[in-house]
Structures are given as C-alpha cells and as structure tokens.
Amino acid sequence: MRQLLTAILRFLLRHALQFALFIAILLAGRLLLAEWRAYSAGSEAVAALRLAADGADHHGAGLAAAATARVNALQHASQAAIAARLAQVQAQLSALRARRQASLFTLPLPDTHTLALHAQDEAVRRVEIEVLAQEARYLTALQAAVKGEDARHTLARLHAQHVQAYAALQENVRQRQELEARHPLAARLPGSDAYAQLSRLEAEGQRLRDINLQAYQAWAAQRARTGDAAHAAHPAPFAIDGAALAGALAPVQKAIAAGESQLARNWIARWRAPVMDVAPTAALLVLSAILLPVAIKAFFYFVLAPVAARLPPLSIARELHLAGSSLPLPPQGESRISAVSQGLLLQPGQHMLIHPEYLQSSPVSTHKRTQWLLDWRFPFTSLAAGMVALTRLHSDEEACVTISASDDPLLEVAVVHLPAGSALVFQPRGLVGLVCDSNEPLAISSHWRLGSLHAWLTLQLRFIVFRGPITLIVRGCRGVRLERAGQGRSISQSATLGFTTDVLYSTMRSETFIPYLRGQQALLNDRFDGDNGVYLYEETPRHGKQPGKVGSWFEGCTDAILKVFGI
C-alpha cells in the first residue's frame, strides 16, 4: 500500500511540474510574441512616418520654389491680376482645409502600405496649406501696397486740379479789382461798358468758385478714403518661411518622437542595435572557426604528412647501439597474448611490482610491502602512468600469483617476457606491473627525438625503453596482441603500446581525408618495418576516444602532454 501511494504521489508531482512548466513556457512565449508584435508595429509605423516626413519635405521644397517664382512675378502686376491670383489661392486653401482623410478604423484593418500612404497624404496636405497660406498673406499685403500707391496718385491729381482752379479764381479776383480801380464809377453804373465787363467777371468768378469748391471737396474726400493705405509700404520680395513650413510637420515629428520613445522601451529594440553592431564580427568569427580548422587539417594532411612519410624511419636500436633481440611470437596465425586473468610463477630471487587492484590471489607465504614509485629515477613518469603505491611481492620459494583486472570487465592482462639483450619501447600507460631480478636494478631509460618530424607530428618526442631480462604485465581493452612487423604494418597510434627497438618506426598518412576531417581517424598511423621486429597493441583503445563528452577537450590536452613525454 505504501509503494502504491508513493507511485501515485510521484506521478501526480511529475505531471504537476510538467503542467507548471508548460504554463511558464506558454506565458513566456505569449510575452515574447507580444513584444515582437509591438516592436514590428512600432518600427513599421515610425518608418512610415519618416518616409511621409521626408516626402513632405521634398514636396514642400518644390512648392516653395514654385510659389516664390510665381509671387515675385506679380511684383509689378496690376491690382486686378493680384486680386485674381489671391482669389485662386484662397479657393485652393478652402478646398484643402475642407478635404478629410478616409477613416482608418475599417475591417479588416489597413496594412502598413495603406498607413504609410495615409500619413504621406496628410503630411503633403499640411505642407501645401502652409505654402498657400504664406502666399495668400503676401498677396494680401501686396494688394494693399498697390491700392495705396493708386490712392496716392489720385490724391496728387485732385490736388493739382484744385490748385489750378484756385489759381483761376485768384486771377478772376485780380481782374475785377483792376477794373474797379480803373473805372470806380463806371463799373457801378448800369449800362456802361465797365459795368457790363464787371458783371461778366463776377459771373465768371462765381463759376470759378464752384469749380474750386468741387476740386477741394474731391481732394478732401480722396484724402479721407486713402487714410492709412497711403502709408502702406511695398513688401520685400516673397520668400517662404522655413520655420513655419517645418512647423506644419510638427504633428508628424511628434508622432515619430512618440513612436521612437515607445520603441526605446521595447527590450527587443534595445538589444537589436547592439546585436546588429557585433553580428558581422560574430559571423566572421564563426566563419573563421568553421574554416580555420579545415584549413589547418588540410595543410597537415596534404603538406606535412606527405613530407613526413618520405623521411627515413627512426631506428631506436641503431641510435642506442643495441643488437635488438626480438621477442618470442605466439603460434602461427595467433597474435592474441592476453586473457582475463594470468598466472605467473614468481621464482626465489625475483620480485613483482603490481597495482594492488590487479593482484587477484597470491600465496600467504609471499612477502608484501608498498613501493611508492615504479622507479625513483623517473618520478614524473611513474606518477603520470599511475605506477604509484604499488605492491611489492617476493617469495623464498616458487609462488604462483594470479593477476586479473578486477576493476574493469573489458580489460585483459598480457604477460610479455623480455629476454636478456632485448629492449622494448613501451608506453607506461599500459603497464600494470613487472617482474625482475631482485639483485639487479630496473633497466629503464628515456630518449628524446627532438630532430625528427615523425616525433613532432605525432607529438611523441620521448621514448621510454625497457631492457631485459624483465617480464612486463600489460593491460589492454578487449585484449592485447603481439605481431611481427615484417615488410610493413600500419596501426592506429592510439592502439600502440610498444615495439621492439629493432623495428623501423615511422608514420604514414591516414588513407582518406574525410574521416580525418570529421575526427573519426587520426592524421597519422604508426608504421612498423623490420623482419624480426614485433609490436604490441591493444584491440580497442580507449586512449583519446572521448568525443563529445564534457571535459573531453581537457582530457585531449592532458593526453597530448603525456604523449610528448612518451607516457
């Protein structure tokens, strides 16, 4: 019953967590979609408004130039021509102000193109209204100036007529006074010539007084009508007020500023500009990361590897001046020398050094103690190869010791006997123990090959040599094999455990480029030549076979360092 309740609670809890996770994902997706839609709509609206403002500015500049040329051409036109153009401008203004844009609240909602056209039409209408309004104001002032100039001309003409009538009246008065002075009595006697002449002058004087009064009244009336118009100055040449024209687009600019302010609060817009700034550099880096390894691998495969293949092989025996005695081989057709467990006879006068986890059974009569390093002359090699805290066994009588890989079911153990005078280049990573004479020191030596391109391309600059008589206990994944080099054998570098010093060691390029490019094969394989030479390898190497795992880059770097030191 308890197990049933536990299973039910786990089932409910797991699905409740899934339910909460789905809710969080859906809410996050909805918020992200809303932000993206707001950003897209805001960007399109701001772009449409900017396009409308730019189009209106360009259109307004053309209208301003046309209006300037047209109005300045009317500077010396008649009052009738000015009045006709003013009426035309006022009619256009009335038509533009009365025009209404179509409603945007329709179903379905208009697209971005329609919104852009609407904004552009409205901006153009505002610019046209402003240009025509400035033209109308200037034409009104010009008309007033022309009217004032005509009124001044009429007033001057009436004044001249009044002066002429007044002068004629004064001449008449002078003639009467002169006649009365010459004929004071006759001029008063009816029937005399002087009287008749005086009567004619008086009648003419009355007519001249009427003419003078009419001229004066006409001049006074014209002066009253002229009033302030007589003082109206002629306006300067017409020019468009750029500030007022720009002010006509103030609503559009305000809408653009509001749209940009709204976009600035959108986190997609805040990140878009920085991302777009660094995106070309990032794309270049990604492209370099893709192409540079390919170029390097192609250079190694097609240039360096063929050069190394043509170089003479390394001969450790020749350089060490060894005879290079070969190892005994398994029977014909067999090369496997390993098994899950191995039994060794430990003779008196011999001692065994072995990892404690590989020591499966031993007689109780054997003497055991701990030896911290394989060889104190090579502390780094012993530590890096894991040959530390070893168990040292010796016996006063013949003892059978059983060795097995108890910590890994895939490992097998092989026993390699090196007779006296033989030498084996061996990588200590595959060593789990050894048997040697107690009276003789362990014969291990290291040799650097810094002048060999084979060594540099494989990164194995140091070779560790074990000399007989000695028995090596070797481990290998899925088994260990011992084969004769003969006329030339090739094997993967990660599988090689060792080879005798009479082997001619070299490298050869892997057969195909694509598996090397994809990391399925190494650039170079080990090549062994020599009729009597033998080499040792494990069937399924784990060394350097960890692609895609976390920390594999660190493991690969560590393996490369250990390979440099021949470990």
Side-chain angles (χ1 to χ4, degrees):
M1 185 67 182
R2 182 177 181 181
Q3 294 179 350
L4 178 61
L5 291 176
T6 302
I8 293 175
L9 289 176
R10 287 179 178 176
F11 175 82
L12 294 176
L13 180 61
R14 181 171 66 252
H15 288 81
L17 291 176
Q18 289 181 351
F19 178 72
L21 179 61
F22 290 154
I23 289 178
I25 292 174
L26 292 175
L27 288 177
R30 180 178 296 179
L31 292 176
L32 180 62
L33 183 61
E35 285 288 318
W36 174 254
R37 286 177 176 173
Y39 169 73
S40 299
S43 299
E44 292 174 354
V46 170
L49 291 174
R50 285 177 177 169
L51 181 62
D54 293 340
D57 284 338
H58 182 72
H59 183 67
L63 289 178
T68 301
R70 184 172 54 248
V71 173
N72 288 332
L74 296 175
Q75 290 289 337
H76 304 288
S78 63
Q79 185 176 350
I82 296 174
R85 177 55 191 167
L86 180 59
Q88 184 179 1
V89 169
Q90 290 174 347
Q92 292 177 358
L93 277 173
S94 299
L96 286 173
R97 287 168 177 165
R99 190 176 71 187
R100 292 290 183 267
Q101 294 285 341
S103 176
L104 296 179
F105 297 99
T106 59
L107 293 177
L109 292 176
D111 55 7
T112 306
H113 180 68
T114 305
L115 292 175
L117 291 178
H118 183 277
Q120 188 170 5
D121 290 343
E122 179 63 21
V124 167
R125 187 177 75 91
R126 289 178 176 274
V127 168
E128 290 179 350
I129 289 176
E130 178 61 30
V131 171
L132 290 175
Q134 292 188 25
E135 185 178 356
R137 289 194 295 270
Y138 186 84
L139 289 177
T140 301
L142 182 61
Q143 188 180 39
V146 172
K147 285 183 178 179
E149 186 176 357
D150 292 344
R152 288 193 299 271
H153 290 165
T154 304
L155 183 64
R157 180 176 54 81
L158 293 177
H159 182 265
Q161 292 177 357
H162 174 242
V163 170
Q164 184 180 5
Y166 182 76
L169 178 60
Q170 291 300 319
E171 179 63 22
N172 180 267
V173 171
R174 186 189 63 78
Q175 290 178 1
R176 282 188 296 159
Q177 290 176 354
E178 184 179 356
L179 180 61
E180 288 178 352
R182 285 199 313 264
H183 307 284
L185 295 177
R188 302 297 178 185
L189 292 175
S192 63
D193 293 336
Y195 182 81
Q197 188 176 1
L198 182 60
S199 297
R200 188 174 65 253
L201 288 174
E202 288 179 352
E204 180 67 20
Q206 184 61 39
R207 185 182 67 83
L208 290 175
R209 279 194 295 272
D210 293 339
I211 292 173
N212 180 60
L213 180 60
Q214 291 176 0
Y216 172 76
Q217 291 176 350
W219 173 77
Q222 180 64 26
R223 185 178 62 179
R225 284 195 300 269
T226 301
D228 295 336
H231 304 285
H234 198 284
F238 177 72
I240 289 292
D241 186 358
L245 188 60
L249 297 177
V252 180
Q253 299 296 338
K254 185 177 180 181
I256 292 175
E260 290 177 344
S261 176
Q262 185 176 2
L263 284 177
R265 293 191 296 270
N266 189 293
W267 65 270
I268 294 180
R270 288 198 300 269
W271 283 99
R272 181 178 180 273
V275 169
M276 294 304 294
D277 288 340
V278 300
T281 305
L284 183 61
L285 292 177
V286 171
L287 187 62
S288 300
I290 294 173
L291 297 181
L292 189 59
V294 176
I296 293 176
K297 285 191 172 185
F299 176 75
F300 274 77
Y301 187 86
F302 293 105
V303 178
L304 290 184
V307 172
R310 290 192 292 268
L311 294 177
L314 289 174
S315 176
I316 304 298
R318 185 186 309 119
E319 296 180 5
L320 298 180
H321 304 289
L322 296 175
S325 175
S326 183
L327 301 180
L329 291 173
Q332 185 66 27
E334 297 183 7
S335 61
R336 189 185 185 92
I337 61 172
S338 62
V340 176
S341 63
Q342 296 278 2
L344 279 176
L345 288 177
L346 185 63
Q347 301 295 334
Q350 293 181 332
H351 69 270
M352 175 186 292
L353 295 176
I354 192 168
H355 278 290
E357 60 267 23
Y358 284 85
L359 183 61
Q360 189 176 46
S361 66
S362 62
V364 294
S365 60
T366 56
H367 304 283
K368 302 182 182 69
R369 66 182 179 87
T370 299
Q371 181 167 324
W372 291 105
L373 293 178
L374 175 66
D375 193 332
W376 288 98
R377 293 175 300 166
F378 302 97
F380 174 75
T381 300
S382 300
L383 289 171
M387 297 298 289
V388 294
L390 303 175
T391 299
R392 181 186 176 103
L393 290 85
H394 69 277
S395 178
D396 297 333
E397 57 185 19
E398 187 178 81
C400 181
V401 180
T402 303
I403 301 167
S404 177
S406 60
D407 59 343
D408 193 335
L410 296 179
L411 290 179
E412 294 186 4
V413 179
V415 178
V416 180
H417 298 283
L418 296 181
S422 64
L424 180 70
V425 177
F426 192 77
Q427 296 184 3
R429 65 178 176 85
L431 187 65
V432 296
L434 53 84
V435 178
C436 61
D437 294 337
S438 299
N439 298 327
E440 296 183 3
L442 190 61
I444 303 177
S445 60
S446 65
H447 308 275
W448 292 89
R449 293 295 175 265
L450 300 179
S452 173
L453 185 58
H454 295 294
W456 281 104
L457 288 178
T458 58
L459 289 180
Q460 186 171 350
L461 303 179
R462 180 176 178 241
F463 294 89
I464 298 176
V465 179
F466 290 82
R467 301 190 186 189
I470 192 173
T471 298
L472 300 180
I473 305 171
V474 182
R475 66 182 176 185
C477 183
R478 301 291 295 273
V480 179
R481 291 185 179 271
L482 183 68
E483 295 180 354
R484 186 183 299 275
Q487 298 301 317
R489 302 282 289 182
S490 174
I491 190 174
S492 172
Q493 285 186 350
S494 59
T496 300
L497 292 174
F499 54 91
T500 56
T501 55
D502 56 351
V503 165
L504 298 178
Y505 172 74
S506 62
T507 57
M508 61 179 299
R509 189 179 67 179
S510 58
E511 288 78 5
T512 52
F513 176 69
I514 298 300
Y516 161 64
L517 181 63
R518 297 177 61 185
Q520 298 173 342
Q521 290 184 357
L523 170 64
L524 299 172
N525 292 328
D526 288 339
R527 177 175 176 173
F528 306 106
D529 293 275
D531 293 336
N532 298 322
V534 296
Y535 61 95
L536 191 70
Y537 67 94
E538 58 180 330
E539 290 194 8
T540 309
R542 293 179 178 178
H543 176 65
K545 296 289 185 181
Q546 302 292 331
K549 292 187 177 181
V550 177
S552 61
W553 64 271
F554 179 75
E555 181 181 356
C557 182
T558 305
D559 290 341
I561 295 174
L562 295 178
K563 194 172 184 181
V564 168
F565 291 92
I567 302 172

